[in-house]
Every structure is written in structure tokens, then in C-alpha cells.
Amino acid sequence: MGVVTLDQVENQIARGFRYLQFSPEIEALFRKEYAAERVRLAVIWGVIGVFIYDLVYFGDRTMLPDVFNELLVARFLVFTPFVIGCILAVRRWPNALLYDVLAVAIAVLGVTLPMAAATQSASSYLFVYQNGNSAAFLFFVIALRPRFFAVVIGLALMCASHFTTTRLTGAFDDVTYSGIITFYLTLSIFLAVSAYFLEQKDRQNFLNQLRGSLLYRQLERNAERDELTGLLNRRSLARVGEMLWNDAPRLAPVSAILLDIDHFKRFNDVHGHIEGDACIRAVARCMRDTVDDASFVFRFGGEEMLVLAADREPLQALAMAERIRTAIERLDIAHRGLGNGCVTASLGVAAALATETTLEKLLQKADAALYEAKHMGRNTVALASAPKAGAQVA
């Protein structure tokens, strides 16, 4: 889902999918879900299908006793093991195309095996017997439910097999044979049309569910993002903090970098709040571009921003803070409130083992370091002092 956007889904809904095909990205997701759903039901339908198919053993015995042994082999020693092998294959390799191919193979084999044996029978019940294949047509489309193109191919092959084996029995005159052809062609057309609308409905439901899921994710993201900068907001701080504390190795520190834009009130007074907002956005982008992917960047409040990261030694966090400070200075955003000066930032850095501190205490240490950086003249980075020997670690 990560590669599909809400706009793509809404455009697909607007365009429709008359030919049962989505754009490549959405189609890949549909096939993945289609395969997962079919594989989930494969065992159920496999057991039911084999049970019904082998239950016809009693019909074989009464209607075609002269080829009963051949039918016994076809049902129990060929078809049943083949279906079991297909179930194992799709569970081992859950793939949409593989499922469709095996569904067609099962359907064609199911139609062909009994009728191939029937070609050697002299039974007077052949007309009644061949009608049983209509159940295989129904099971293929309604229960196995491959995609439409596979349904069309499968029905065509099933019809070809049934018409050929029925003719080879030599038991039907031309009128009866044409009636058999008409019946199965009509059945196939109805089933193919039904399969088209069933898949169309499945695809529409998939798009609606995908759109709903993406909308929910967007709402979640918006709820945790600062509207001005797009950074994480204070609401998400507790969640991320809990995640970092849970995931951090016992002997790995968690670091916090607290940033404050220097003389920002004066910047707003001279440049106005519109340019002030633009300044904050520029600094936020600069921070996002400078930190690594494992770091979380928050708008902490006003012109203050925060970086949280796990598994950072104090000197590594200090180096990251210095990169951020330098990158902001290089933006060269004019600050007329400082004469010919530019926008800069002061940063406080703190790091501690997750097992020996809390998020609140770590932020307090970073805030103290930020205060020290400002006291040192601003546009600088300060590292919170390590606890003295024997002191309790905050």
C-alpha cells in the first residue's frame, strides 16, 4: 500500500475499470489480496470439491459399471492427488496467476477424466451421466472463482473437452448431441457473464476498502503532524517516545536535540508573521533533510523543534546537532532585526540510557543544554553534562 496514493485510488474510481484492469500499482495490490483470499479458502473448497467429486463413485457404480474400475482410478488415484498437490502449491507459492492456472487445470481435469472413461462404456445412461459435468462448470465459476480471463479460458477448454469426449462415446445422434452443445454453451455464457460482474463487484469493493484505508491513514498522519511544518507534533511525542524506549537496546542511549531559532520574536516583529511562518517551515525542512531516517523530528512549540533518536552516543548526537546548526546557517535567511545578520539556531543535546531515564527527564536535560547554548552566545550547540560519579542518573 505504500506505493499507492489516495489520489491514484480516487482517479481509478473516477475512470472506472471496464476491462477489469487497474493501473499497475493498484493492480499489483489487488492481485496480492486476491491471491491471499483464494489461498485462505483453498483448503475448504478443495476438501468440499474432492468430497463431492468422489461421492459420484456411487453413480459410477450404478450407471457405468462396465468402466467402473477406470473411473475409480480417475477419481481416487488421479484427480484427488492432483487437487491436493494444487492446494499445497498455492499455499507454498501464493500467486494470483498460479491460482488461476491451477483452478483451470482442476476444472478441465475434473470434466475430462470421467468422460474419457465413459467413451469406452456401452451404458444406456450416458446421457444422464454426462449431465453431471454441469456441476463441475458451476463449481469452477462459483466456488473456485478465478479471475474473469481464467473463467473464459477454463469454460472454453471444459466445453471443448466435454464436446469431444461426448462425441467419442458414439452414444448420441446428431439432434441429441446438438442439444448437449446448446445446453453447455448456454450455461457457459451465463456463467461467464456472471463471473464478469462478480469480479467487477470484487474490484469495486477492493477500491472502496483501499480508499477507506488510505483515508484513515491520512487522518492518522494529519492528527500527528504539525499543520505548518509537517513535522510530528506534541500529540505524537508520547507514542514515539514509548516506541523508542521499548525498542532501544538496554545498553544503547536515547538522544534528544532541542532547537530554538535565535531572536525569533525580533524576526516576527520586523518581518511579520507571514515571513515568520515561512522561516519556521524552512528551518523544519532543513532539519528533516539533515537528520537520518532513524530520527524523529517534532515541532515542540512555537519556534522550538526536537529531534529524538535511539542508539546514539552523546558525541554522535552532538555531531548531528552541529550539522543541523550549520545547515540552518547556510540557508542564509535574512534577519533584518539583526542588521545584516541571518537566521541561526541554538541547540541543546542530551543522551542517556533508556533504562536509566525517562522521556520527560531527557527533555529537561536537553532544555538545560539549550539554555546553556543561548547563554554561550547563541548559534551554537551545547551538550548536557554527564552526571557526576555517585549521582543518580536523570
Side-chain angles (χ1 to χ4, degrees):
M1 191 176 294
V3 298
V4 175
T5 66
L6 182 60
D7 286 342
Q8 287 177 303
V9 174
E10 291 184 335
N11 287 337
Q12 183 71 71
I13 292 174
R15 291 198 310 270
F17 42 91
R18 182 179 301 175
Y19 301 108
L20 301 180
Q21 190 75 18
F22 296 140
S23 64
E25 298 85 359
I26 299 177
E27 184 68 22
L29 285 181
F30 174 77
R31 290 180 183 179
K32 184 177 180 180
E33 182 172 296
Y34 164 85
E37 177 67 16
R38 295 301 186 271
V39 169
R40 186 177 64 84
L41 297 173
V43 174
I44 297 173
W45 286 123
V47 171
I48 293 174
V50 167
F51 175 75
I52 294 173
Y53 192 82
D54 290 344
L55 197 63
V56 184
Y57 157 87
F58 296 102
D60 295 341
R61 191 171 186 176
T62 55
M63 287 190 285
L64 275 68
D66 54 342
V67 291
F68 177 68
N69 290 336
E70 290 85 344
L71 289 168
L72 202 65
V73 170
R75 293 189 188 280
F76 292 97
L77 299 182
V78 178
F79 185 78
T80 298
F82 180 75
V83 172
I84 294 173
C86 290
I87 292 172
L88 294 175
V90 296
R91 289 179 67 85
R92 176 66 179 83
W93 300 287
N95 176 275
L97 180 59
L98 177 63
Y99 177 85
D100 289 339
V101 169
L102 293 181
V104 170
I106 289 172
V108 174
L109 191 66
V111 166
T112 303
L113 286 176
M115 288 306 298
T119 60
Q120 306 302 315
S121 176
S123 172
S124 59
Y125 297 106
L126 281 174
F127 180 78
V128 176
Y129 189 80
Q130 63 83 32
N131 280 337
N133 265 344
S134 59
F137 280 66
L138 293 169
F139 187 83
F140 170 59
V141 175
I142 297 174
L144 296 183
R145 286 187 66 186
R147 286 176 292 170
F148 176 70
F149 81 91
V151 167
V152 173
I153 294 172
L155 290 174
L157 292 175
M158 293 166 77
C159 283
S161 172
H162 188 72
F163 297 158
T164 301
T165 52
T166 303
R167 171 62 78 179
L168 289 175
T169 63
F172 309 111
D173 57 36
D174 289 344
V175 175
T176 303
Y177 183 67
S178 64
I180 292 171
I181 291 176
T182 301
F183 171 75
Y184 278 95
L185 284 179
T186 303
L187 177 64
S188 297
I189 291 171
F190 279 130
L191 288 175
V193 172
S194 298
Y196 175 86
F197 287 110
L198 277 173
E199 183 172 338
Q200 189 178 56
K201 189 68 174 177
D202 285 345
R203 287 177 175 268
Q204 185 65 57
N205 289 338
F206 171 78
L207 282 180
N208 291 336
Q209 291 171 4
L210 183 59
R211 180 176 181 272
S213 177
L214 289 171
L215 278 171
Y216 180 74
R217 289 192 178 191
Q218 186 179 74
L219 287 173
E220 278 192 324
R221 181 181 182 278
N222 290 343
E224 292 200 338
R225 296 282 169 174
D226 174 63
E227 187 175 358
L228 177 64
T229 62
L231 300 180
L232 294 168
N233 58 24
R234 290 289 292 267
R235 183 180 300 172
S236 60
L237 182 57
R239 178 186 63 80
V240 173
E242 181 179 359
M243 180 182 68
L244 289 178
W245 257 251
N246 289 338
D247 294 346
R250 288 186 58 82
L251 299 179
V254 178
S255 61
I257 301 172
L258 194 57
L259 174 148
D260 186 76
I261 301 175
D262 294 330
H263 302 293
F264 187 72
K265 182 180 183 305
R266 192 182 304 176
F267 184 95
N268 266 341
D269 291 341
V270 174
H271 293 264
H273 290 284
I274 300 300
E275 287 193 38
D277 287 348
C279 175
I280 290 176
R281 283 195 295 267
V283 170
R285 280 196 305 269
C286 182
M287 291 183 68
R288 269 201 313 263
D289 294 341
T290 304
V291 303
D292 53 44
D293 294 336
S295 301
F296 297 87
V297 187
F298 302 81
R299 186 180 182 193
F300 196 61
E303 67 274 17
E304 287 188 332
M305 299 177 203
L306 170 68
V307 179
L308 283 180
D311 201 13
R312 295 287 189 283
E313 295 296 333
L315 292 181
Q316 292 176 316
L318 185 66
M320 181 187 291
E322 179 59 27
R323 289 196 300 272
I324 294 171
R325 186 201 66 78
T326 303
I328 292 171
E329 190 174 29
R330 286 175 179 171
L331 290 176
D332 200 26
I333 301 173
H335 192 327
R336 294 196 300 273
L338 302 177
N340 294 324
C342 65
V343 170
T344 60
S346 301
L347 300 94
V349 180
L353 297 180
T355 56
E356 297 178 346
T357 191
T358 64
L359 175 60
E360 182 180 0
K361 291 179 179 180
L362 185 67
L363 294 180
Q364 288 174 353
K365 291 176 66 176
D367 188 56
L370 173 60
Y371 181 82
E372 182 181 349
K374 291 183 177 182
H375 185 71
M376 293 164 57
R378 293 185 171 86
N379 191 23
T380 189
V381 177
L383 177 63
S385 57
K388 297 179 181 179
Q392 183 179 0
V393 179

